[in-house]
Amino acid sequence: MALARSPRLSSGGPSGMVFELLRDCFTLEDPTSGFDLLFKLCTHIAQGRVSPSIFLVLHFWEALADHFSPLQFGVATRGGCETIIHGLRATLDLHPDCVVLQVDIRNAFNTVSREALFRELRAATGSLDQLFPFVRSFYARRSPLYFSHCSREDEVTLFSSESGTRQGDPLDGALFALAHLRALRTTASEHLLCLFPSLADDTHIVGPPEAVVPAFHTLEGHLLVVGLTVQSTKCAAWSPSGLSSSLSLPQGFHSLLQGYAYLAPL
C-alpha cells in the first residue's frame, strides 16, 4: 500500500495534510466508516496536530484556482511545476530568440507585508473575501517567535513576528501568493510582450530580449510595495539562442548556458 510506504516526518502539502495524519486516519477497523474518519480528524485538530485551516483550503480550492490563474501556478493548481515547464518549452520552441529571467525573492514568506495581504484579500473577487475575518484574527497582531540556542538549550530568545505568513499554516502559500499576485498583475499589464509564470515565490519573465529587463525593473518596484525584495545574486537569465552581448542584465544576474536545472534542461 502506497500510504504505508510513505515517508515519515515530511512537511505538509498545500492542504496542510501530512502522511502521518493520513496514515493514522485510515488505519481503522472499519475503513469505510466516514464517521470514524471524521471523528479521528477532528480529534487531531483538537490536539493541535493539524490546523483547522485545511478545511478552508479545501473549501476555497476552486475560488483560489480561478483567482490565481494564469499567473500563479503554485496555489490550487495540480501539476503547477509541470505546467510551467511545458509552457516554457512550447513558448521557446516557437520563439527561440526569447529570454527567460528567473527572479528570486529574499526570504519571501517571512517578509511579505501583512497589510498588503489584507488589502488583496478584502479586494479579492468571488468568495475569497469571506476569508478576511478568519485571517485577520490570526495575522492582525504581532505574534511571538521563540528561538532556542543550540549550545544553551535552557536559553530562549523571544522575537516579535510582524510580517510574513506563519510557518505550518495551510493557508500560508495562498496568503503569500495574494500579495505577490498584485505585483505580477500590475507588471503584466504594463509589459504586454512578456509572460510571468510563477510557482509560489519563484517568478519567471519570458519575452523578447529588449522587453525582459524593463519588465524586471518594473516587477522589482511593485514587489517592494508589498514588502518583497529581489535577491539578484540568485537570479539568472537564459535563452535557447544564447544571450546577446548587447543585453544588459541587471546587476548580480548570472547567465545560464544549459537552461534551468530545477525545471529540467529546456
Side-chain angles (χ1 to χ4, degrees), residues 102-116:
Q102 183 182 25
V103 181
D104 183 80
I105 301 174
R106 187 191 309 273
N107 199 18
F109 282 77
N110 287 327
T111 58
V112 65
S113 166
R114 292 181 180 178
E115 289 80 4

Side-chain angles (χ1 to χ4, degrees), residues 68-155:
F68 290 115
S69 178
L71 293 172
Q72 177 58 258
F73 295 87
V75 179
T77 303
R78 301 187 187 280
C81 185
E82 291 81 359
T83 301
I84 293 179
I85 292 173
H86 294 301
L88 283 177
R89 283 177 172 168
T91 300
L92 296 176
D93 283 344
L94 292 173
H95 307 283
D97 58 328
C98 279
V99 174
V100 183
L101 299 185
Q102 183 182 25
V103 181
D104 183 80
I105 301 174
R106 187 191 309 273
N107 199 18
F109 282 77
N110 287 327
T111 58
V112 65
S113 166
R114 292 181 180 178
E115 289 80 4
L117 186 157
F118 290 151
R119 287 196 303 269
E120 295 307 312
L121 191 55
R122 294 194 69 174
T125 57
S127 59
L128 289 182
D129 59 336
Q130 298 175 17
L131 282 170
F132 179 72
F134 178 84
V135 173
R136 181 179 57 182
S137 66
F138 287 96
Y139 284 96
R141 297 181 180 180
R142 294 176 293 181
S143 54
L145 294 177
Y146 298 92
F147 176 77
S148 178
H149 299 268
C150 296
S151 58
R152 301 182 299 276
E153 295 183 358
D154 58 336
E155 185 175 341

